[in-house]
Amino acid sequence: MEVEALEAILMDEFKEIHSGETGLSTSNRCFQITISQDEDPDGLITNPAQLALFFSHTERYPDEPPLLNVKSLQGIPSEDLRILKEKLQQEASENLGMAMIYTLVTSAKEWLDDRFSEDNDGGAEAEEAAKDDVVVPHGEPVTVDTFLAWRERYEAELALERAKLMPEAVLSAPKEKKLTGRQWFESGRAKGASTVTDEPDEEDEEDSDIDFDDEDFEDDEDDMLEHYLAEKSDSSIHTSRIVS
């Protein structure tokens, strides 16, 4: 009775087979049910997993489990087949006393879909992760202005690094002190600067002009005034001595 019902429900997926092809040790009638992974509506599964479930009723079925075996028809490793067979045998023990083959077929179908849909999901996730790993170039485009600004910053950083490597004695050495107005006059440089020819022409006059740079001395007005008053005082004292 159960065999006729299975044949009517499963149709082409159900057939009787010789026991020598099933791996079952029995002389009773043996049957094969083909179970396939559901088709993927997105078309990601190109080779769906497929297996054959073999069974044969025993003399005391359904009060004892049927003889069961599974075989890969496409894409199922032997370790997965072993796990599935143990699962079906366990379920058969739990359903004693009733016709159970269709229940076992349904369980095998669910296991097949769950097991290999995980692999497909993993492949899709790996593909998405690979897309995320693609490096998209970004940043400011290089132009003449941006390059010059970068080079200025780089040279400043390089000078700072060089300064860190210089001996402390070099860094602490005093710089050359600039001359004040008074020191410049007392050094005699003013006399040399004030010496000109009696009748210079325009070209000589231009050549003899001295261009005092700000780096030569500082315009210290207080020192200049102090020096001028000191010399005037000395001149007055000298004149008074001559008169007396």
Side-chain angles (χ1 to χ4, degrees):
M1 186 74 175
E2 183 181 29
V3 171
E4 289 75 10
L6 291 172
E7 188 175 11
I9 296 171
L10 300 174
M11 298 176 22
D12 293 340
E13 296 175 349
F14 180 88
K15 67 179 181 178
E16 187 171 355
I17 192 172
H18 190 275
S19 61
E21 301 178 52
T22 64
L24 300 176
S25 298
T26 183
S27 57
N28 294 339
R29 297 173 65 190
C30 297
F31 303 91
Q32 173 183 321
I33 299 174
T34 302
I35 303 174
S36 302
Q37 183 182 3
D38 282 338
E39 294 184 0
D40 182 14
D42 297 330
L44 297 177
I45 302 175
T46 56
N47 296 310
Q50 191 177 65
L51 63 85
L53 170 62
F54 305 112
F55 75 92
S56 178
H57 292 145
T58 62
E59 298 298 331
R60 296 179 56 195
Y61 178 85
D63 293 330
E64 65 179 7
L67 299 177
L68 298 172
N69 199 11
V70 290
K71 175 183 177 181
S72 174
L73 298 180
Q74 180 170 276
I76 304 176
S78 57
E79 179 63 19
D80 286 340
L81 290 175
R82 183 188 65 79
I83 293 173
L84 175 60
K85 184 176 180 180
E86 291 179 355
K87 173 182 172 61
L88 295 178
Q89 289 173 338
Q90 177 65 29
E91 291 189 7
S93 299
E94 295 172 355
N95 286 275
L96 295 177
M98 64 182 72
M100 65 183 75
I101 300 300
Y102 188 76
T103 300
L104 299 179
V105 171
T106 302
S107 179
K109 170 74 170 167
E110 291 177 352
W111 176 90
L112 190 65
D113 289 337
D114 291 342
R115 170 65 182 84
F116 290 94
S117 64
E118 290 177 1
D119 290 347
N120 293 323
D121 291 342
E125 291 175 0
E127 184 177 353
E128 291 297 326
K131 292 180 181 179
D132 294 338
D133 290 339
V134 175
V135 178
V136 179
H138 63 280
E140 183 180 2
V142 178
T143 63
V144 175
D145 294 336
T146 57
F147 173 75
L148 293 177
W150 169 84
R151 187 175 68 176
E152 183 177 353
R153 291 194 303 269
Y154 172 76
E155 291 177 349
E157 293 174 358
L158 185 61
L160 180 60
E161 291 298 323
R162 288 177 177 173
K164 291 179 180 179
L165 298 175
M166 290 178 66
E168 185 176 354
V170 176
L171 298 175
S172 60
K175 295 182 179 180
E176 184 180 354
K177 186 177 182 181
K178 294 182 180 180
L179 297 177
T180 65
R182 180 174 182 176
Q183 290 171 336
W184 185 78
F185 274 101
E186 291 177 348
S187 66
R189 294 170 65 181
K191 294 180 181 180
S194 62
T195 303
V196 295
T197 58
D198 294 335
E199 294 180 358
D201 55 17
E202 293 182 358
E203 293 182 359
D204 293 339
E205 193 172 286
E206 291 178 359
D207 296 337
S208 62
D209 288 341
I210 299 176
D211 185 13
F212 297 110
D213 192 16
D214 290 341
E215 295 181 356
D216 291 335
F217 63 93
E218 298 176 349
D219 270 340
D220 192 337
E221 295 182 357
D222 292 339
D223 287 348
M224 293 280 287
L225 180 59
E226 180 182 349
H227 179 74
Y228 172 76
L229 294 177
E231 286 196 348
K232 187 174 181 181
S233 175
D234 293 342
S235 177
S236 299
I237 295 172
H238 180 69
T239 303
S240 63
R241 287 179 180 175
I242 294 174
V243 173
S244 61

